[in-house]
Amino acid sequence: DLKAMQVDHLIPKRNEDCKYHDDTKEQIHCFENLMPACRSCNNYKSGNHLEIFRQGIETQIERLRSDKPTFSVAERFGLINSTPNKVVFHFETLSKWQI
């Protein structure tokens, strides 16, 4: 639902390595750095860089297997079908002219 979308900073607002235009902090809020995100992804990503967020998502199956015995049991009995995938975010599938 588009109404539930939030604006996420691709380069996090708290990034100290960000290069600013004209010695201002405006670049962090520029259009190219703003991406749509659902509330849960935006909260989960928090202030992390995109690749850290991607790794966190991609490792969920292994983390659930090792931390949650109920997940392993459900998986073993075929109640859950785990399919590891590379994570590609929607904005990465668009050309810059579609954004």
Side-chain angles (χ1 to χ4, degrees):
D1 183 18
L2 289 177
K3 292 178 183 177
M5 299 299 281
Q6 297 182 338
V7 176
D8 178 53
H9 289 80
L10 188 60
I11 298 170
K13 289 189 288 188
R14 65 180 178 194
N15 181 24
E16 296 174 7
D17 300 326
C18 184
K19 295 176 183 165
Y20 302 113
H21 292 300
D22 304 320
D23 296 326
T24 68
K25 293 189 177 186
E26 290 303 313
Q27 181 182 0
I28 209 78
H29 299 295
C30 71
F31 182 75
E32 292 80 15
N33 192 44
L34 303 176
M35 299 292 154
C38 68
R39 183 178 306 277
S40 63
C41 284
N42 197 15
N43 288 336
Y44 189 75
K45 179 180 175 276
S46 186
N48 292 314
H49 285 274
L50 187 65
E51 293 309 313
I52 300 292
F53 177 51
R54 187 188 318 270
Q55 287 175 330
I57 294 171
E58 289 178 350
T59 60
Q60 288 296 314
I61 292 172
E62 290 306 317
R63 289 170 51 193
L64 286 167
R65 277 188 191 131
S66 64
D67 295 345
K68 307 288 183 199
T70 52
F71 180 86
S72 297
V73 170
E75 192 175 38
R76 190 171 65 240
F77 282 95
L79 301 173
I80 297 171
N81 294 317
S82 303
T83 309
N85 289 314
K86 290 289 180 190
V87 172
V88 178
F89 299 106
H90 177 68
F91 75 89
E92 294 174 311
T93 66
L94 303 173
S95 72
K96 74 177 194 173
W97 302 111
Q98 291 176 296
I99 295 177

